[in-house]
Amino acid sequence: SVVQPRVVSLLNDPTRIMPSLTVGTAAVATLAVAAPLVAAVILTLRARRNKISPAIPRPDGWLPVLGHSLLFLGGNQAAISTFEKFGMELGPLYVVELGAGRETLCVADVDMIAQLYRRRHTDTCPERDFKASLESLNLGHTVSSEEDYDQWKALRKIIEPPFTPSNVKRMIPFILRAAKGLVSGFANIAEMQVAEMAAHPRPGEFTGKAVVDLNPVVRKATFDFMMLYSFDLDDNKYSKQLSLEDVERTSHGVIDRLMSVFKLHRFYLTAHERKTQDAAKRVRETSFNIIDEARKRVEAGDASDIREHSVLDNFIKSQSPEDQKAAKLSVDQLIDNVFALLFAGYDTTGTTFDIALHLLAQHPDVQERVHAEAISVLYTGWEDLIDSTTTTEETAPSFDAKTLPYIHAFVKEVNRLYPLATILPMGTKVDVSLGGHFIPAGSSLMLIPRVAALRASAMLDAFVFRPERWIEMENDDPALREAESKILNVFGGGARICPGRHAAIAQLVVFTVATVARFKVSFLQVPPHIELAKPFLDRPLMFKLRT
């Protein structure tokens, strides 16, 4: 009876409560701004008590609290370019501070990188931000993020066997089936481009319709191979379960969160971040279904379509109580590694092949030599082979380095100058010494292998794209061959070297042969007003069927 009149009075005259609301809002806003700043200062001061050796150079541009963060803005590609730029300017070791005291030691020396690779099972571990990026999408049990060495070995026993060198021949029919889709996609592009150029022959009539993004075609082919070879699922099966768009959104989300300077996703999810979370959830659910359905088929005695020793077969055995030799892994570990296998298998190879296509267009002489080798070793029925889905391990032609030496040299040279793994995050589990400097346990490292390779190369034309160097090197001094082999570290090294490296090389070789045997790749002439997104892949390609 006393309070009610006051409430009614306030509702009738809301201006009476505005001063208190204004003060309250201001207080909340002040706390919201001040708390992160105070926390950042505390973290900065705390980190500086145990910082990496001050004798190691730092770039200019440091700011209180922010460190060097502002130098790495502009997206993932811009951040990678900045890491590489400092690697060329500051030498084999330098330190950057990516916000509130987060010091990162950047390593651009092949010997130091080799030392870290050799000691990955004892001295180093996945970098904390990389693991946190996976965990933020509920994918924290992948083989690449596993810190426990015994668990990591158990995961490798499941994933690695299908991709060993002895199984490369077994992969070829599956790669050819994926190459069929690749060639078909390029044929559609070529047909469209010819029609567009015929309809608008004059440069001034250019409409832009002939500019085509190749990524969907290339990534679809690499994704098809991984789904078919690893999980026995062709396009008709997996397209009903697993969306390539969801896998891409999830994988890009991991990279975006890793490379993000301010890590805002830890505090607030934008609409884009929420879509990434939803995509990751769907990928996990589908991964579980793939394994669970296969397990049920095994239990029902109806698993004749599951190839022995495939990744899916190994996954199922790991859950079988009867198989005492199989590694026993949790369902979460298996699910997360379906994603890891797909992400590592399709995205990296697809991006590298995009670069390879542009290098073929940029170097017509290399392209003609690749074409000559492809058609000289393949029998007349190559077109029938690429169109066939019945090619077997026994009937497939050889794509090894002895049969196709120049094409293998071409793939090596692509990986030498444009390795996809341009940076590799890592952390130290124990105190280590690099280049005579003390690096404390718990430090964040960023390996920069491409800059390290270019700095270490003894070749006078190290910056020149020249595939024949790898053939000439066979006759060089053994010491030089060994020195140059160290610079080709695109797949990492040591115990944790990429298990799918042989599959990646096989795909790149077969896709190169399939494409160049059918098409002549050149740059599409566009007017200067056409804006293109990617710094390296900044010129659209044109495909012309060879006669």
Side-chain angles (χ1 to χ4, degrees):
S1 60
V2 175
V3 175
Q4 187 174 356
R6 293 192 61 192
V7 173
V8 172
S9 176
L10 288 173
L11 291 175
N12 290 334
D13 185 12
T15 58
R16 293 174 57 188
I17 63 173
M18 289 305 294
S20 60
L21 280 177
T22 303
V23 172
T25 303
V28 172
T30 302
L31 286 174
V33 173
L37 290 176
V38 171
V41 171
I42 293 173
L43 288 172
T44 301
L45 295 174
R46 180 181 177 184
R48 287 188 167 276
R49 288 200 300 268
N50 189 33
K51 68 179 182 178
I52 298 170
S53 170
I56 301 175
R58 272 88 166 156
D60 295 330
W62 182 89
L63 294 172
V65 179
L66 296 176
H68 299 100
S69 298
L70 298 185
L71 303 178
F72 291 85
L73 297 179
N76 295 344
Q77 189 57 51
I80 291 170
S81 297
T82 303
F83 276 116
E84 292 196 327
K85 171 177 174 287
F86 289 148
M88 296 300 290
E89 293 176 354
L90 299 176
L93 287 176
Y94 69 91
V95 175
V96 294
E97 188 175 315
L98 301 177
R102 291 169 50 217
E103 286 194 328
T104 298
L105 176 66
C106 302
V107 185
D109 179 89
V110 290
D111 291 322
M112 295 182 197
I113 290 176
Q115 172 189 338
L116 291 169
Y117 281 157
R118 286 194 302 270
R119 306 289 295 175
R120 286 178 87 171
H121 60 293
T122 56
D123 294 359
T124 65
C125 60
E127 205 272 335
R128 59 178 180 268
D129 281 342
F130 175 64
K131 192 169 179 64
S133 299
L134 287 167
E135 289 175 343
S136 69
L137 293 171
N138 200 19
L139 294 166
H141 300 93
T142 64
V143 65
S144 55
S145 66
E146 183 58 61
E147 294 187 28
D148 184 87
Y149 187 57
D150 291 333
Q151 285 284 9
W152 172 83
K153 285 194 297 184
L155 286 168
R156 287 282 288 221
K157 287 178 181 178
I158 291 176
I159 293 173
E160 190 169 31
F163 300 104
T164 57
S166 61
N167 283 321
V168 169
K169 184 76 173 175
R170 186 182 299 172
M171 300 176 199
I172 297 300
F174 299 93
I175 299 176
L176 286 171
R177 289 176 65 177
K180 176 188 175 183
L182 180 77
V183 170
S184 177
F186 288 163
N188 292 335
I189 293 173
E191 182 180 356
M192 180 275 295
Q193 289 178 328
V194 168
E196 181 66 18
M197 301 301 283
H200 305 281
R202 299 174 61 182
E205 299 174 348
F206 185 85
T207 65
K209 292 181 180 179
V211 177
V212 179
D213 184 5
L214 304 179
N215 278 343
V217 177
V218 174
R219 278 168 164 68
K220 178 68 164 54
T222 55
F223 193 74
D224 282 352
F225 165 71
M226 290 305 299
M227 290 301 296
L228 191 62
Y229 184 69
S230 300
F231 303 109
D232 288 303
L233 293 173
D234 61 21
D235 188 11
N236 294 327
K237 292 181 181 179
Y238 83 72
S239 61
K240 299 174 183 177
Q241 303 182 58
L242 188 63
S243 163
L244 176 56
E245 181 182 355
D246 280 345
V247 175
E248 287 194 327
R249 184 181 288 277
T250 304
S251 60
H252 293 165
V254 172
I255 301 301
D256 289 343
R257 293 179 180 201
L258 170 64
M259 298 300 296
S260 171
V261 172
F262 297 111
K263 313 295 182 189
L264 297 180
H265 64 271
R266 296 178 180 174
F267 311 101
Y268 175 75
L269 292 180
T270 63
H272 175 76
E273 291 283 359
R274 289 194 293 272
K275 289 181 180 179
T276 300
Q277 295 276 65
D278 292 341
K281 182 179 179 181
R282 288 191 295 269
V283 168
R284 291 195 93 251
E285 290 173 350
T286 305
S287 300
F288 173 79
N289 291 338
I290 289 173
I291 298 171
D292 193 51
E293 288 176 11
R295 180 183 57 78
K296 289 177 180 177
R297 294 203 306 274
V298 171
E299 291 175 353
D302 182 26
S304 57
D305 59 332
I306 300 177
R307 282 178 296 107
E308 188 178 5
H309 306 309
S310 69
V311 175
L312 185 61
D313 179 49
N314 291 344
F315 274 5
I316 296 167
K317 287 179 179 177
S318 73
Q319 294 293 288
S320 171
E322 290 79 18
D323 193 339
Q324 299 299 319
K325 294 182 180 180
K328 297 297 183 286
L329 302 175
S330 69
V331 174
D332 281 336
Q333 287 175 313
L334 297 179
I335 291 173
D336 290 358
N337 280 282
V338 172
F339 163 75
L341 191 63
L342 292 175
F343 168 49
Y346 94 90
D347 188 71
T348 53
T349 308
T351 302
T352 302
F353 190 63
D354 282 344
I355 295 172
L357 290 172
H358 281 75
L359 288 169
L360 287 170
Q362 188 176 353
H363 301 275
D365 55 329
V366 172
Q367 183 175 174
E368 290 310 306
R369 190 166 172 182
V370 167
H371 175 256
E373 184 172 88
I375 63 174
S376 69
V377 300
L378 296 171
Y379 53 84
T380 309
W382 166 248
E383 286 79 7
D384 297 329
L385 174 67
I386 197 68
D387 286 337
S388 173
T389 58
T390 59
T391 304
T392 65
E393 181 180 342
E394 290 72 26
T395 60
S398 175
F399 291 89
D400 61 19
K402 291 182 179 179
T403 308
L404 300 166
Y406 189 77
I407 293 175
H408 276 263
F410 166 76
V411 170
K412 277 187 176 181
E413 189 71 347
V414 171
N415 281 318
R416 181 184 75 87
L417 277 177
Y418 300 100
L420 189 69
T422 47
I423 60 173
L424 177 66
M426 190 179 287
T428 56
K429 292 195 292 188
V430 297
D431 296 342
V432 298
S433 175
L434 282 178
H437 297 283
F438 170 77
I439 312 300
S443 297
S444 294
L445 309 179
M446 188 69 78
L447 310 190
I448 314 175
R450 181 166 77 142
V451 173
L454 293 175
R455 290 171 58 88
S457 179
M459 299 177 288
L460 297 178
D461 58 350
F463 298 162
V464 177
F465 183 77
R466 199 171 68 85
E468 52 270 23
R469 74 172 77 251
W470 297 100
I471 298 174
E472 297 166 358
M473 201 178 294
E474 294 298 322
N475 301 319
D476 285 340
D477 178 68
L480 178 62
R481 290 204 305 272
E482 182 181 357
E484 293 302 331
S485 66
K486 290 167 59 178
I487 71 175
L488 197 65
N489 53 14
V490 62
F491 295 109
R496 291 186 182 236
I497 192 169
C498 173
R501 59 195 182 280
H502 304 293
I505 294 298
Q507 283 183 84
L508 291 170
V509 169
V510 175
F511 286 179
T512 299
V513 171
T515 302
V516 177
R518 280 278 184 101
F519 305 97
K520 184 173 184 178
V521 186
S522 60
F523 288 121
L524 181 68
Q525 299 304 311
V526 299
H529 70 274
I530 299 294
E531 294 184 3
L532 299 155
K534 298 181 180 179
F536 175 73
L537 310 180
D538 60 352
R539 299 177 67 184
L541 295 181
M542 184 170 185
F543 290 83
K544 184 178 179 181
L545 276 170
R546 293 182 183 268
T547 56

